[in-house]
Amino acid sequence: MADMTSFDRLMEPGRIGSLRTKNRIIKTAAGSGYALDGNPTDEMAGYYSAFARGGVGLIIIENCGVEWPRGTHFIPKGFRFHDDSCIPYHSRMVDEIHKYDCPVFVQFMHAGPWLERFEGMGNPERVAVSRIEEKDLPGDAWVPGHELTIPEIHELVEVFAKGALRAKKAGYDGVEINGSYYHFINCFLSRFWNRRHDEYGCDSLENRTRFYCEAIREAKRLCGSDYPIATNINAVEFGLTNGTTLEEAEGMAPLIEAAGADLIQVRVTGYGDYLSMLLPEHLLFPEPPKHLDLGLLDLSKGGKGIIVPLAAAIKRGVKVPVACAGRLDPMLGEETLRQGKLDFIGMTRRLVADPELPNKVKSGRLDDIVPCAGCGYCVHSRRGDNPQKCRMNPAAGKEREYAITPAEKKKRVLVIGGGLAGMEAARVAALRGHEVTLCDKAGRLGGLVPIAATVKERELESLLNAIRYYEGQLRKAGVVLRLSESADLSTIKNLHPDVVILGTGGLAAIPGIPGIDNRKVVKSDNLHRMLKRILKFVGPGLLSRLTKVFMPLGKRVVIMGGGIQGCQLAHFLVMRGRQVTIVDTAETLGDGLPFQTPLRFFMWCDKVGVTRMAGVTYERITDEGLVVTTKEGTRKVLEADSIILALPLSPDNGLCKTLEKDGMVVFQIGDCREFGLMHGAISDGARIGRAI
């Protein structure tokens, strides 16, 4: 592993064609959702300017439709740059980024058969390299398209090239032409998608790369040979018959380099069981795909650097710089650069969590880097028309709104509760100049996070990193910690606070059904108390391992509650030999599970025999188990040795009312105000910390 105090390679300047970067970190392209009517907005400019201000070496603006509407994946809101009317909007954003001496590219893509099915837009023509019948497509995300003629292919070469010229006029320092993932250009490169037998067909690598190479050459001709063109390709297409192989990608890369590419970013994509390749650590939950080729991928670090071996293989065959992303952090990035496996380190989620990461690395402030949770909420939150959000960084996309500014009047602030909401509120309030004290009856910070870390094995390290981060930040900000101390009314009065912030958590939800006090029932508050007692002596990691040896639960377990808590608890129990049933009154299960996790999780449930029932009515609990009425009206007894309540918490405003009655200024945050997940708690704390 790289020397933790030295990041000489990561921080050294790099070159991409004629462009010089200040360091080797690239903010890779990823959709943010901040465009409006397809154009950059002030919010989008603020979002990307934060990365530039934070010291990143190069920003590549998210995948941008080079043609409208048939080339833009997300419609009608999809980000695009299809004609000259878009130039002023892009120029304003580029000018904002350039204020921080940071070069910026825009990534051009064409959706092809990946064009979204969208009602209200008529029926935009889908274009395809080859006509593939709907029944033969790898899922419902793809639509059969019109097979392009040779003249139509030539027209699309011009579309990409003219897009590059348009980007140059807008002030972009270069462009990235996307030939990876599911995008249209990849349809030429992949033998699954390309079934032609002409000069653009599947019979040779030269033919399969011809369109890509022609687009690069024509872009260079229009923009000048010194205008940087970045590219990206799939090193492997997992889960496809006749998908791209590493050997083929190694053969394509030199051809793309010879056409004029100045950078090759290596990616992978997957179908079916491999859909989570975009978020590699999610590929391993609930278990790795059965046929995952361990010889191609590096699974030794829980998803970090998973495709570095593929990028290194491609790098050996070309002279231009090679980059990849995939949970790379500064330490692993430095190590990978020193080993000569990469020339640039791609990051997105880590930079969204902390845009200042490069500057903090450069100044040796690693402990101040906000840890990326790897939770996938940033991608999950992009559903529909919603812009991207981040669990750990509520300011993402709201940089002006969430700016930490000095308080007009210094106040004595008492925060009660050491969970994520309370710690964030205390951190922000202290940075604004307030005198902050944080009380918690527990002997350690984190609230329920250590318990969650015990169950969420995939997220264990990231959750513990979050607690360590807050511990360090509160200490540096001068927050007074009063742990192992209950904050009753007399204690609060003795501290004479001007403002009290309550982050004490919610109340356990208990269904009012007969038999709820049966000895088989494990209530969440009792479970939390028991685990907190154990965690006083062992850490979450050790406790998680010990539960594989013993747990005070029977063999057959029914979980009441099918949201993210119940689903992740089910995985935890199955991996410890329990026979699990998940039930919920809601019509669907899996609420809160991020991104594509529900699809993979429920497929796994079917495989391992987890029974799932949604839309039930809870009737009673007996010595046999839980009695429910199904949504079809059938009464069933779900036999169980243990019944665990994993229901959303209820708000707890008892202390708030008492303090308000006493004339105090009180704010509630987190679950005591309204049930939410971790991102909601941190956002709540940040909001109130800025408001007082």
Side-chain angles (χ1 to χ4, degrees):
M1 182 60 80
D3 179 359
M4 292 283 286
T5 63
S6 174
F7 293 89
D8 296 340
R9 290 284 287 131
L10 190 65
M11 289 293 107
E12 77 174 358
R15 280 209 167 271
I16 299 171
S18 62
L19 178 75
R20 183 180 184 274
T21 65
K22 68 181 74 171
N23 58 52
R24 301 287 178 135
I25 302 175
I26 296 176
K27 162 62 181 79
T28 50
S32 70
Y34 290 111
L36 178 64
D37 296 327
N39 288 312
T41 59
D42 288 344
E43 290 79 10
M44 194 171 186
Y47 172 76
Y48 282 107
S49 294
F51 303 126
R53 186 170 56 249
V56 74
L58 169 66
I59 292 170
I60 303 179
I61 302 295
E62 61 203 74
N63 55 331
C64 183
V66 75
E67 193 178 32
W68 171 259
R70 69 179 188 175
T72 305
H73 178 52
F74 298 106
I75 55 176
K77 193 178 180 180
F79 184 49
R80 53 192 181 269
F81 199 176
H82 62 293
D83 64 36
D84 287 355
S85 67
C86 303
I87 290 177
Y89 298 95
H90 284 261
S91 292
R92 284 196 288 272
M93 179 171 66
V94 170
D95 289 345
E96 284 295 311
I97 293 169
H98 279 164
K99 288 179 181 178
Y100 302 99
D101 188 31
C102 180
V104 54
F105 289 10
V106 62
Q107 183 193 90
F108 282 129
M109 61 83 72
H110 194 293
W114 197 34
L115 183 64
E116 191 178 28
R117 301 172 190 259
F118 195 92
E119 296 180 5
M121 284 295 292
N123 186 29
E125 179 190 41
R126 275 85 175 174
V127 297
V129 173
S130 301
R131 173 73 186 185
I132 302 176
E133 296 302 319
E134 186 147 8
K135 64 182 178 62
D136 297 323
L137 291 168
D140 61 7
W142 297 271
V143 182
H146 158 68
E147 183 173 311
L148 292 167
T149 64
I150 297 295
E152 289 171 329
I153 290 174
H154 293 164
E155 289 174 5
L156 278 171
V157 168
E158 289 296 317
V159 165
F160 276 95
K162 289 177 180 177
L165 181 59
R166 195 174 296 125
K168 184 177 182 180
K169 291 177 180 178
Y172 284 107
D173 301 284
V175 298
E176 180 176 71
I177 300 177
N178 195 336
S180 69
Y181 210 46
Y182 310 128
H183 298 187
F184 168 68
I185 293 178
N186 177 63
C187 293
F188 281 102
L189 305 180
S190 167
R191 283 179 294 120
F192 174 86
W193 294 102
N194 188 343
R195 305 180 185 189
R196 305 173 71 99
H197 296 285
D198 55 21
E199 61 262 45
Y200 293 95
C202 62
D203 298 317
S204 70
L205 293 182
E206 288 77 10
N207 287 351
R208 285 159 59 186
T209 58
R210 192 179 304 281
F211 178 89
Y212 206 176
C213 292
E214 288 180 351
I216 295 167
R217 290 192 191 99
E218 184 63 10
K220 287 279 189 176
R221 187 186 70 80
L222 293 181
C223 298
S225 60
D226 62 343
Y227 191 66
I229 304 288
T231 60
N232 54 29
I233 61 172
N234 292 322
V236 179
E237 288 181 298
F238 289 96
L240 278 186
T241 302
N242 290 330
T244 299
T245 67
L246 177 58
E247 182 180 10
E248 290 174 332
E250 289 178 286
M252 293 176 192
L255 300 174
I256 294 167
E257 175 186 34
D262 296 296
L263 173 74
I264 298 175
Q265 184 186 157
V266 177
R267 301 178 74 178
V268 294
T269 193
Y271 300 79
D273 238 8
Y274 298 88
L275 273 175
S276 294
M277 294 302 296
L278 181 64
L279 307 180
E281 70 284 3
H282 289 230
L283 182 69
L284 309 180
F285 178 86
E287 64 181 9
K290 182 177 180 181
H291 301 294
L292 192 60
D293 191 331
L294 303 183
L296 291 176
L297 301 172
D298 181 357
L299 303 181
S300 66
K301 305 175 186 68
K304 291 199 303 183
I306 190 170
I307 68 169
V308 167
L310 303 177
I314 288 174
K315 176 175 164 53
R316 287 192 289 268
V318 296
K319 295 182 175 62
V320 294
V322 170
C324 76
R327 296 300 290 152
L328 291 166
D329 58 25
M331 285 71 72
L332 185 54
E334 175 71 16
E335 179 184 21
T336 304
L337 290 171
R338 290 187 186 184
Q339 293 172 342
K341 295 178 179 178
L342 293 175
D343 300 291
F344 286 88
I345 302 301
M347 295 184 189
T348 281
R349 287 183 287 163
R350 293 192 187 277
L351 292 172
V352 173
D354 192 344
E356 291 286 329
L357 181 149
N359 284 342
K360 290 176 180 178
V361 170
K362 185 177 180 180
S363 59
R365 296 183 292 130
L366 299 188
D367 291 342
D368 291 337
I369 296 174
V370 180
C372 172
C375 59
Y377 179 61
C378 49
V379 180
H380 179 78
S381 62
R382 284 279 287 110
R383 291 181 176 180
D385 287 338
N386 297 316
Q388 176 180 271
K389 298 177 184 176
C390 174
R391 175 197 285 181
M392 294 298 299
N393 178 20
K398 301 178 180 180
E399 285 73 18
R400 296 180 181 90
E401 178 185 344
Y402 277 77
I404 298 177
T405 56
E408 293 182 5
K409 180 182 177 182
K410 185 176 179 180
K411 300 174 183 177
R412 290 188 300 274
V413 178
L414 174 61
V415 179
I416 302 175
L420 292 174
M423 290 190 293
E424 176 68 0
R427 182 188 77 88
V428 173
L431 290 176
R432 296 188 63 226
H434 294 304
E435 181 184 314
V436 182
T437 299
L438 186 152
C439 290
D440 196 296
K441 61 185 177 182
R444 63 198 300 178
L445 292 171
L448 295 178
V449 174
I451 294 174
T454 302
V455 175
K456 297 170 180 271
E457 292 178 283
R458 183 185 61 77
E459 296 183 48
L460 187 149
E461 187 56 34
S462 65
L463 291 174
L464 298 184
N465 284 343
I467 296 175
R468 285 191 285 266
Y469 164 77
Y470 275 114
E471 288 173 340
Q473 296 306 298
L474 295 179
R475 183 181 66 255
K476 291 180 180 181
V479 174
V480 176
L481 298 178
R482 299 179 63 156
L483 303 179
S484 301
E485 184 174 331
S486 296
D488 54 22
L489 184 58
S490 62
T491 301
I492 295 169
K493 284 184 174 181
N494 288 337
L495 292 172
H496 305 292
D498 300 306
V499 176
V500 179
I501 301 175
L502 298 177
T504 50
L507 297 171
I510 302 176
I513 60 174
I516 193 66
D517 292 322
N518 189 291
R519 60 181 176 79
K520 290 187 174 185
V521 177
V522 182
K523 298 174 182 176
S524 58
D525 53 349
N526 293 334
L527 180 62
H528 293 165
R529 279 194 291 270
M530 177 185 70
L531 291 174
K532 283 182 177 180
R533 286 197 296 270
I534 298 172
L535 286 167
K536 289 181 180 179
F537 306 101
V538 301
L542 177 57
L543 177 57
S544 183
R545 292 191 295 273
L546 290 174
T547 57
K548 295 179 180 179
V549 179
F550 171 76
M551 285 191 301
L553 294 173
K555 183 73 173 176
R556 299 168 302 170
V557 179
V558 170
I559 298 173
M560 296 175 66
I564 184 173
Q565 305 97 318
C567 290
Q568 291 182 334
L569 177 61
H571 175 260
F572 176 83
L573 294 174
V574 169
M575 300 304 288
R576 285 151 181 80
R578 269 42 177 198
Q579 180 183 324
V580 176
T581 298
I582 308 172
V583 294
D584 204 314
T585 57
E587 289 300 312
T588 58
L589 304 180
D591 183 45
L593 286 172
F595 192 41
Q596 293 155 336
T597 301
L599 175 63
R600 288 175 48 79
F601 177 73
F602 294 138
M603 288 171 58
W604 175 82
C605 285
D606 293 338
K607 174 184 172 182
V608 300
V610 173
T611 301
R612 309 188 309 280
M613 300 178 66
V616 307
T617 300
Y618 302 136
E619 300 292 350
R620 64 176 58 245
I621 293 172
T622 69
D623 287 340
E624 289 182 273
L626 173 65
V627 182
V628 301
T629 298
T630 68
K631 59 184 176 183
E632 294 81 17
T634 303
R635 179 162 292 198
K636 284 191 173 183
V637 178
L638 306 178
E639 296 182 354
D641 304 308
S642 300
I643 299 171
I644 301 179
L645 304 186
L647 301 169
L649 299 174
S650 300
D652 181 7
N653 55 14
L655 181 56
C656 180
K657 289 182 177 180
T658 299
L659 297 179
E660 286 179 336
K661 188 175 180 179
D662 209 69
M664 296 187 187
V665 178
V666 186
F667 295 93
Q668 288 183 283
I669 57 176
D671 289 337
C672 75
R673 182 184 68 85
E674 181 182 24
F675 174 73
L677 302 177
M678 293 181 191
H679 57 267
I682 294 175
S683 180
D684 238 10
R687 177 177 56 85
I688 295 302
R690 286 163 174 79
I692 57 176

